[in-house]
């Protein structure tokens, strides 16, 4: 840790304790909800029959999604900074708020679309499928953050590889979201595809504008 090229005296910084807190959160969820945690790792390959434990927002899902937002904000901070300072925790908080607003706005758009087109069940299921991306990312991004923070090696290459992985994971969730809409919605398929493009593109453009 003392030889890290990014941060001196890592044990006394907010970054170290934030990563410890996130890792302990995942470990406790793995211990307390062993069956659901194992099932979560298999979710990308499951069928589309949701059960109540997957759909409801409870401690398990909420904790994973909260840590996922904080982890993605921290990843953006680490990638954008050549040397991290103590005051950069405010930048991480800013990114986390932007990501949280982005996801809230996107979720509201899904619910609004379902209400307008009287297809609430299909669009609610599509949003729950989309939100699985956060729970997957919470698990897979954690070791990447430890390496970006404390590892000695090609940080740029690792950041690119991690970014590509998260993009592929997001596209995978988006593809499954489209399949849920096509399967459950009473609207015509091309209408659903057009609405899905609008629901995805407009919040992403707002998010890019706010981050830049």
């Amino acid at each position: 840790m003392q030889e890290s090229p990014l941060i001196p005296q890592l044990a006394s910084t907010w970054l170290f304790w934030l990563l410890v807190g996130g890792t302990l959160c995942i470990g406790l969820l793995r211990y307390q909800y062993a069956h659901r945690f194992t099932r979560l790792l298999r979710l990308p390959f499951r069928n589309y029959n949701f059960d109540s434990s997957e759909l409801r927002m409870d401690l398990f899902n909420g904790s994973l999604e909260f840590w996922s937002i904080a982890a993605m904000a921290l990843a953006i901070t680490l990638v954008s900074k050549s040397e991290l300072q103590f005051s950069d925790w405010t930048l991480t908080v800013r990114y986390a708020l932007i990501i949280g607003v982005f996801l809230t706005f996107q979720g509201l758009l899904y619910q609004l679309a379902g209400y307008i087109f009287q297809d609430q069940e299909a669009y609610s299921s599509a949003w729950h499928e989309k939100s699985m991306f956060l729970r997957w990312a919470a698990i897979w991004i954690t070791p990447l953050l430890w390496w970006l923070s404390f590892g000695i090696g090609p940080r740029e290459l690792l950041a690119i590889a991690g970014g590509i992985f998260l993009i592929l994971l997001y596209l995978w969730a988006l593809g499954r979201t489209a399949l849920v809409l096509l399967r459950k919605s009473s609207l015509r398929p091309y209408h659903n595809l057009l609405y899905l493009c609008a629901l995805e593109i407009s919040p992403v453009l707002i998010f890019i504008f706010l981050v830049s």
Side-chain angles (χ1 to χ4, degrees):
M1 291 167 59
Q2 294 177 353
E3 298 175 356
S4 171
L6 185 63
I7 310 167
Q9 299 178 353
L10 293 173
S12 61
T13 64
W14 58 269
L15 172 62
F16 176 77
W17 296 111
L18 178 61
L19 287 174
V20 168
T23 305
L24 284 176
C25 174
I26 292 179
L28 289 173
L29 292 176
R30 172 65 179 86
Y31 175 77
Q32 189 69 25
Y33 303 94
H35 179 68
R36 291 186 62 184
F37 195 92
T38 302
R39 187 171 56 193
L40 176 65
L41 299 179
R42 301 171 182 170
L43 285 179
F45 311 103
R46 79 194 193 293
N47 57 28
Y48 298 97
N49 295 321
F50 304 96
D51 58 31
S52 58
S53 63
E54 292 174 6
L55 294 179
R56 69 174 182 264
M57 178 58 66
D58 55 8
L59 178 63
F60 180 81
N61 294 332
S63 299
L64 282 176
E65 293 183 10
F66 180 82
W67 167 240
S68 180
I69 292 173
M72 286 190 287
L74 180 57
I76 296 174
T77 304
L78 291 174
V79 171
S80 62
K81 291 286 185 176
S82 58
E83 183 177 349
L84 205 65
Q85 304 296 330
F86 180 80
S87 59
D88 287 330
W89 69 268
T90 58
L91 186 61
T92 303
V93 172
R94 177 193 171 195
Y95 287 143
L97 289 175
I98 292 175
I99 294 173
V101 170
F102 162 73
L103 292 172
T104 301
F105 178 60
Q106 196 176 50
L108 289 175
L109 285 181
Y110 270 81
Q111 300 303 323
L112 182 62
Y115 175 78
I116 291 175
F117 304 121
Q118 298 182 353
D119 208 4
Q120 292 94 331
E121 182 180 356
Y123 277 85
S124 293
S125 298
W127 172 247
H128 284 298
E129 182 69 30
K130 173 71 179 301
S131 65
M132 289 297 173
F133 163 77
L134 286 175
R135 299 166 201 172
W136 300 333
I139 297 174
W140 299 113
I141 200 175
T142 302
L144 174 66
L145 287 176
W146 279 102
W147 187 267
L148 283 176
S149 301
F150 306 135
I152 300 176
R155 294 184 66 253
E156 294 80 7
L157 182 61
L158 183 64
I160 293 173
I164 292 174
F165 176 76
L166 287 179
I167 290 174
L168 292 176
L169 195 62
Y170 184 86
L171 292 177
W172 178 261
L174 186 60
R176 289 179 62 90
T177 302
L179 290 177
V180 168
L181 279 180
L182 294 176
R183 183 174 180 177
K184 290 192 171 186
S185 177
S186 59
L187 300 176
R188 294 182 178 179
Y190 67 86
H191 282 160
N192 281 315
L193 292 177
L194 289 175
Y195 300 144
L196 184 61
C197 290
L199 292 172
E200 291 298 323
I201 293 175
S202 55
V204 168
L205 291 178
I206 296 174
F207 173 72
I208 294 174
F209 173 78
L210 292 175
V211 171
S212 61

